[in-house]
């Protein structure tokens, strides 16, 4: 065998020569350990003989020598693989898992084998031909890589020497290839040298890629090695970068280089330096990715293999992962090149130059495996969004970069690829800002449309996907209030742009960046146009699916933005009909053809309808009915199936998509109409009444779909979130199951829709249960379905909360793209639907409810309020707040059955847990509005429970003390956001009979000290006694202070509530306590007696004065039967006369600039009321006045009773009417 292989080794055929080398390598590694060395030495000795063979001219045969060198490398590789397999077998036999030592005797003598190769690598004297040196370099790299000497953690001197030698070999050979004249040595071998040149350079680049990760060990000796390597790679690619093998190895080197950039000195990217990675490699990447076209009269064309294109793609992705920024707001060339390469490759099937450009480093098997473009297209479509959304994008420029990528995508979808600069001028204004941004995007897309008028469907699909990714990132950046950001709000964008343009004109600055809001029309038109894309009367479903997702994001971003040109209308209303027609087209995709692609378009259309309704873009019942009709199942598609019967039907039992279409309609109807948009529940009920005739049947169908999704997950060993959970396979099957023959799209849709289907089913079934016209048997069946769904919802709620609260599992990938947050929101909402029913105790497992409440309390409420770190978003927390209300309702509906006491205690503990944390002083960290929302929900729920009398007297007393001394005493902005709900809870507690009169007086005093005057007014009436003067004293001091209009208004309103219906003792106490201060405030606001009052708001001034008059009228009404009424009126009229003189009356204004005739008229109305209700006292009071005061009051009363005379000065004389009857024919 050895002799035959040695005879074939010098063959001129590449495949024969390589097969012989591999055969000798396999032969050298045969046998057991005792005779392995004998075989190796025999083969090596024979190779030496082949290498030393001579030709008539005295030179060694280059082919034979090259093949011998390659055989040495193959022997090392085969021996290394055999040794590794032995090591694995030994490791598997060790029970402890320890790593067995390597067999030193079985290792090949690497150093000795290298001594046979190094003479052929040396450039001194050119001992061997160019082709031999190429194979020697290849063999050296294989020997070094498979020796495992450079893979160790600790190196010895021999390892360092090998690394130095490898660097020396690379540099010497590359330098010699450029500086040494070898004409004489190559005489007669010029063709061989030309053929081997590309292989030599490719092998040199491969050796550089292998050595680069270890260069840090030589940093102290020579820290410029990587810089020299970068220069060499650039020179090699400039020389032979058009060869696929060289270009591929060059991209691989740069990919490795990207992870070692820290070995280079930090230089600015703006400096053109050869060491700079981006500067060095981008010209070659650009050349590779630029689409190649055959000119009409071209003698030769650029041939690029798919292997080279894949290497370039991997290089850009590796640079992004290495935190190396490839794009900026002024340059997205990398994205344009990759997209152009996709457009080019989409039209190619095979690589035409495979046979011509093969060399040693491009095996035929590799080239053949990469000849198909499908894999490369998928990689390009994955890498482009990665670069656009990469972490290397500077945070300050993210919005600008995403906007430019978005406009670039829009240019692709619209088929516009050339910037129009003819109409562009140097003016710094909004129009030029928009035009510059649009033209920049068109120039970016020019590469794609250079030789075609329209992009291929693969490129359009990528454009829609890129647009969706960028728009989604923009929405994340602007936060949860899109109407308050200039990037989406057109009015704010106009104001900002005008201001920036003005500053630029004043300072001779540059043109400001464009904003997303300026390009709304372009975004809507491009998304709508691509959502109905077709080619030769055939629908492009892939483009339509991606574009519909893009359109949904546009709707989400701009649906609630006001239109500056049409007040009271949203900006998207002008595009409503265009959007609705696109949605209608997508929902009709299954009418002509039923395939997986068309079904995906139908699903995307349903998602768009859901977005339109959730974002309140369509709010009219007629519009909603037309919009949702295609996604609502027909009456004959629904059937009310009793629990226990056969309820499962395979998706494709009839061989068509009809069953799956029904599932999709049920899922979307459940998601949108039945509880999916709580804020539009009443509007959606009107739609349901017309479109869904059999609500119980729909509830059953929705329940079946939810259970089907859960069953699909269970059968595959997954939890309800799509995470691995083998225990679920052991559970008892919920319903009969046969082979689930469905495609991936169907399974994904069914699985992802189970939470919303469960919520929609429970909502529909609950409505059926509450419908008094339904039969009892039908309601009983509905209860059975609700019990099953209740168990499913509780499990889903617990699993989602556990996953979201576990930081170690937070980024765990869920199968089928299930969103744990979405599952949590829907399950919490479903649980709320059940808790609101009177029969919730029978429908739900009380232990399951208690477990869920405990989980929410420990994993959501506690971490959120204590700032221990939480991953729960606002939607989850909002549903949790709704759950407080639902738990209080469920607690009120529960009876006194045995075993429910522990459940009531758990629910009460859950509701009061936030208040307990405040009392314990654990409310720390940043007190956000989300925290305030949770606490307010807790207090509202507690108020309902206290009102129902479901708490003990001790707990009521504790709540009173806690609220009065803690919550309502704090006056910071966060605490004030809790006061409204805290006051409601306090008043409910105070209405409890267990609160004593003394306690009421104490709380009233605390409320007065805290400034909670509305609570004080309600409590003081019940708690006051003739000796209770403390809280009234606090009010008196507060009224004399200039604390502001809002505070005075609250104080006067509280006094007004106390006066109405008060006893004479209480009224006397109030009048003596604060009567003087009330009149003082009337005079203060009526006459603007101080400079501070002159700066007050006019409307609030009127309110405060009117409230003070209201208090005085209250005093008056309680004193009507008293003998001293006239004396009281004289005191009041004295103040009112001063107000009347200061403000005047309508059409009789005073000379004061700050006078308000409305206040004078209010005084006149008060006097008239007094004159009519107590004329005797009024006469006595008028008789005691001076003539001037009496005349003024009489004038005011006369004007109010007879009407104020209108001034006739300046009015035109009335025209005489013509008597047409006097004219005769």
């Amino acid at each position: 065998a050895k002799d035959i292989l040695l005879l074939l080794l010098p063959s001129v055929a590449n495949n024969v020569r390589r097969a012989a080398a591999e055969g000798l390598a396999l032969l050298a590694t045969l046998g057991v350990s005792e005779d392995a060395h004998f075989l190796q030495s025999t083969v090596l000795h024979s190779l030496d003989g082949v290498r030393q063979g001579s030709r008539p001219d005295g030179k060694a045969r280059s082919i034979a020598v090259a093949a011998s060198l390659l055989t040495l490398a193959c022997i090392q590789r085969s021996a290394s693989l055999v040794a590794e397999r032995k090591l694995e077998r030994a490791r598997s036999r060790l029970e402890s898992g320890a790593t067995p030592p390597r067999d030193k005797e079985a290792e090949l003598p690497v150093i000795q084998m290298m001594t046979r190769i190094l003479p052929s690598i040396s450039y001194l004297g050119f001992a061997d031909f160019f082709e031999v040196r190429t194979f020697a370099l290849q063999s050296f790299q294989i020997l070094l890589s498979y020796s495992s000497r450079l893979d160790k953690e600790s190196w010895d001197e021999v390892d360092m020497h090998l690394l130095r030698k490898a660097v020396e070999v690379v540099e010497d050979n590359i330098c010699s290839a450029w500086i040494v004249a070898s004409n004489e040595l190559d005489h007669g071998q010029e063709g061989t040298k030309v053929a081997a040149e590309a292989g030599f350079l490719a092998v040199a680049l491969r050796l550089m890629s292998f050595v680069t990760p270890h260069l840090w060990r030589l940093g102290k000796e020579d820290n410029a090695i990587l810089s020299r390597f970068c220069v060499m790679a650039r020179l090699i690619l400039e020389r032979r970068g058009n060869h696929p093998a060289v270009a591929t190895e060059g991209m691989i080197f740069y990919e490795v280089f990207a992870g070692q950039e820290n070995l280079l000195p930090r230089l600015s990217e703006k400096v053109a330096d050869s060491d700079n990675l981006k500067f060095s490699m981008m010209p070659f990447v650009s050349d590779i990715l630029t689409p190649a076209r055959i000119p009409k009269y071209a003698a030769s064309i650029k041939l690029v293999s798919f292997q080279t294109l894949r290497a370039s793609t991997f290089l850009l992705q590796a640079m992004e992962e290495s935190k190396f920024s490839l794009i900026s707001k002024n340059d997205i060339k990398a994205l344009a090149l990759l997209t152009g390469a996709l457009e080019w490759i989409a039209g190619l099937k095979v690589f035409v130059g495979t046979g011509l450009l093969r060399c040693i480093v491009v095996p035929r098997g590799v080239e053949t495996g990469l000849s198909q473009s499908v894999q490369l297209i998928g990689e390009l479509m994955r890498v482009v969004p990665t670069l656009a959304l990469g972490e290397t994008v500077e945070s300050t420029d993210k919005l600008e970069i995403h906007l430019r990528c978005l406009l670039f995508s829009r240019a692709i979808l619209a088929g516009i690829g050339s910037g129009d600069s003819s109409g562009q001028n140097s003016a710094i204004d909004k129009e030029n800002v928009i035009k510059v941004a649009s033209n920049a995007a068109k120039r970016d897309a020019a590469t794609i449309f250079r030789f075609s008028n329209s992009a291929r469907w693969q490129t359009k699909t990528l454009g829609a996907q890129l647009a969706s990714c960028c728009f989604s990132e923009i929405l994340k950046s602007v936060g949860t209030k899109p109407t308050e950001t200039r990037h989406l709000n057109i009015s704010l964008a106009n104001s900002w742009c005008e201001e920036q343009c003005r500053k630029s004109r004043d300072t001779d600055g540059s043109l400001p960046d464009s904003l997303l809001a300026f390009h709304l029309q372009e975004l809507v038109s491009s998304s709508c146009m691509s959502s109905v894309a077709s080619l030769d009367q055939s629908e492009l479903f892939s483009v339509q699916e991606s574009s519909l997702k893009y359109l949904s994001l546009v709707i989400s971003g701009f649906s609630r933005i006001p239109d500056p040109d049409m007040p009271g209308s949203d900006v998207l209303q002008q595009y409503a009909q265009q959007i609705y027609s696109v949605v209608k087209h997508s929902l009709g995709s299954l009418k002509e053809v039923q395939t997986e692609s068309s079904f995906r378009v139908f699903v995307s259309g349903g998602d768009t309808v859901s977005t339109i309704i959730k974002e309140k873009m369509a709010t009219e019942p007629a519009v909603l009915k037309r919009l949702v009709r295609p996604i609502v199942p027909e009456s004959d598609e629904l059937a009310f199936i009793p629990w226990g019967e056969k309820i499962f039907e395979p998706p494709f039992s009839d061989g068509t998509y009809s069953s799956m279409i029904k599932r999709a309609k049920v899922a979307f109807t459940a998601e949108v109409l039945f509880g999916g948009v709580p804020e539009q529940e009443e509007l959606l009920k009107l739609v349901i009444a017309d479109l869904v005739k059999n609500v119980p049947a729909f509830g059953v169908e929705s329940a079946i779909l939810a259970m089907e999704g859960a069953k699909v997950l269970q059968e595959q060993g997954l939890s309800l979130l799509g995470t691995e959970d083998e225990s679920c396979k052991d559970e008892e099957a919920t319903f009969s199951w046969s082979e689930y023959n469905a495609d991936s799209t169907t399974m994904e849709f069914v699985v992802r829709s189970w939470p919303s289907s469960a919520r929609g089913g429970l909502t529909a079934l609950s409505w059926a249960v509450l419908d008094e016209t339904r039969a009892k048997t039908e309601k009983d069946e509905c209860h059975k379905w609700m019990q099953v769904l209740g168990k499913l919802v509780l499990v889903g709620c617990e699993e989602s909360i556990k996953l979201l609260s576990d930081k170690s599992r937070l980024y765990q990938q869920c199968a089928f793209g299930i969103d744990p947050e979405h599952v949590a929101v829907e399950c919490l909402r479903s649980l709320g639907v059940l808790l609101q029913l009177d029969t919730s105790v029978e429908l739900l497992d009380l232990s399951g409810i208690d477990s869920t409440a405990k989980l929410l309390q420990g994993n959501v409420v506690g971490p959120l309020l204590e700032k221990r770190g939480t991953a729960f978003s606002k939607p989850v927390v909002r549903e949790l707040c709704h759950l407080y209300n639902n738990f209080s309702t469920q607690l009120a509906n529960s009876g006194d059955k045995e075993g429910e006491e522990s459940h009531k205690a758990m629910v009460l503990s859950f509701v009061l847990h936030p208040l307990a944390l405040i009392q314990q002083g654990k409310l720390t960290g940043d007190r956000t509005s989300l925290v305030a929302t949770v606490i307010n929900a807790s207090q509202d729920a507690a108020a309902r429970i206290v009102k129902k009398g479901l708490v003990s007297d001790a707990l009521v007393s504790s709540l009173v003390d806690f609220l009065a001394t803690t919550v309502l005493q704090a006056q910071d902005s966060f605490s004030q956001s809790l006061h409204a709900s805290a006051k409601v809870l306090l008043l409910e507690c105070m209405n409890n009979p267990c609160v004593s009169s003394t306690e009421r007086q104490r709380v009233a005093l605390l409320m007065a000290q805290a400034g909670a005057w509305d609570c004080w007014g309600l409590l003081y009436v019940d708690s006051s006694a003739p000796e209770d003067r403390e809280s009234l004293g606090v009010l008196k001091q507060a009224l004399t202070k200039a604390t502001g209009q809002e505070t005075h208004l609250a104080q006067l309103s509280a006094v007004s509530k106390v006066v109405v219906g008060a006893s004479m003792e209480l009224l006397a106490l109030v009048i003596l306590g604060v009567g003087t201060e009330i009149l003082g405030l009337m005079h203060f606001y009526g006459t603007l007696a101080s400079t501070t009052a002159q700066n007050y708001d006019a409307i609030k001034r009127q309110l405060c004065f009117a409230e003070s008059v209201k208090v005085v009228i209250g005093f008056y009404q309680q004193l009507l039967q008293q003998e001293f009424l006239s004396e009281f009126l004289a005191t009041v009229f004295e103040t009112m006369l001063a107000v009347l003189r200061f403000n005047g009356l309508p059409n009789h204004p005073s000379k004061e600039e700050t006078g308000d005739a409305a206040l004078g008229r209010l005084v006149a109305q008060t006097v008239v009321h007094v004159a009519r209700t107590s004329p005797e006292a009024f006469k006595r009071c008028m008789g005691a006045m001076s003539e001037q005061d009496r005349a003024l009051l009489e004038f005011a009363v006369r004007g109010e009773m007879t009407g104020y005379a209108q001034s006739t000065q300046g009015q035109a004389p009335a025209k005489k009417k013509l008597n047409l009857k006097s004219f005769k024919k």
Side-chain angles (χ1 to χ4, degrees), residues 89-156:
R89 288 195 296 268
R91 186 182 293 112
S92 63
R93 288 194 296 268
L94 292 176
E95 296 181 358
S96 61
T99 302
R102 285 182 175 270
D103 186 3
K104 297 293 184 181
E105 296 183 358
E107 294 183 357
L108 290 176
V110 178
I111 303 299
Q112 289 80 351
M113 297 180 70
M114 284 188 177
T115 57
R116 290 178 167 86
I117 297 176
L118 289 177
S120 298
I121 302 177
S122 175
Y123 71 93
L124 296 175
F126 280 89
D128 281 317
F129 294 104
F130 203 80
E131 184 180 18
V132 176
R133 294 170 61 194
T134 300
F135 276 84
L137 278 175
Q138 174 79 349
S139 302
F140 179 82
Q141 188 262 332
I142 294 177
L143 279 173
L144 196 59
S145 61
Y146 281 94
S147 66
S148 303
R149 298 193 69 94
L150 302 186
D151 297 335
K152 301 181 296 184
E153 294 184 2
S154 58
W155 286 22
D156 53 21

Side-chain angles (χ1 to χ4, degrees), residues 866-878:
E866 299 178 37
K867 292 300 175 185
R868 290 189 275 114
T870 177
F872 297 97
S873 61
K874 288 185 178 180
V876 177
V877 177
R878 281 198 294 265

